Amino acid sequence: MANVLLIEDDPDVARMLKSALARYGHNVTCSGDGAAGLAQLQRSKPAPDIVITDILMPVQEGIETIMAIREVNTTIPIVAISGGGRTKRLDFLKTAEKLGANASLAKPFRPAELAQTIEKLLM
């Protein structure tokens, strides 16, 4: 079981992922944007084992959040997720991995894929 910090601005997606990850035995704390997620990370005792962050969000988007997390914690695994992060000029998920995410998943993905990614990163 892992303590997961999920940063996702869509409440329906957050609820679904929290429920799915709970079925895999994980304890999930949710934040609705990158700034709130970063604050949650810094005040969590104990610290989460892993962070999952959406890329396209209001207030503070995922790339900025990943970079901010890496400034305060260089070792926590980060999974970037996004359903709208690809254009002809830029693939946000690849950019997220270049800037500190350990893995990425394009929405829609199966909860089992996310659970496998978490397991792999926490080994």
Side-chain angles (χ1 to χ4, degrees), residues 52-113:
I52 301 166
T53 185
D54 191 15
I55 296 297
L56 301 176
M57 298 181 290
V59 183
Q60 181 174 304
E61 49 79 26
I63 301 283
E64 184 179 359
T65 301
I66 291 166
M67 292 169 45
I69 290 170
R70 285 295 175 236
E71 287 180 16
V72 297
N73 187 323
T74 59
T75 60
I76 191 167
I78 301 172
V79 180
I81 60 175
S82 183
R86 184 176 216 149
T87 66
K88 290 181 181 179
R89 292 186 178 174
L90 183 62
D91 183 331
F92 292 136
L93 292 175
K94 286 182 183 177
T95 301
E97 288 189 21
K98 288 179 183 176
L99 295 173
N102 301 87
S104 63
L105 292 170
K107 295 177 188 173
F109 52 82
R110 292 177 298 121
E113 291 177 87

Side-chain angles (χ1 to χ4, degrees), residues 2-8 14 18 21 26-32 36-37 40-41 43-44 46 48 50-52:
N3 289 317
V4 177
L5 173 58
L6 173 63
I7 307 170
E8 169 62 60
K18 182 175 183 174
L21 291 175
H26 300 299
N27 179 39
V28 181
T29 302
C30 296
S31 291
Q40 179 69 37
L41 176 68
R43 71 175 175 264
S44 292
I50 192 164
V51 174
I52 301 166

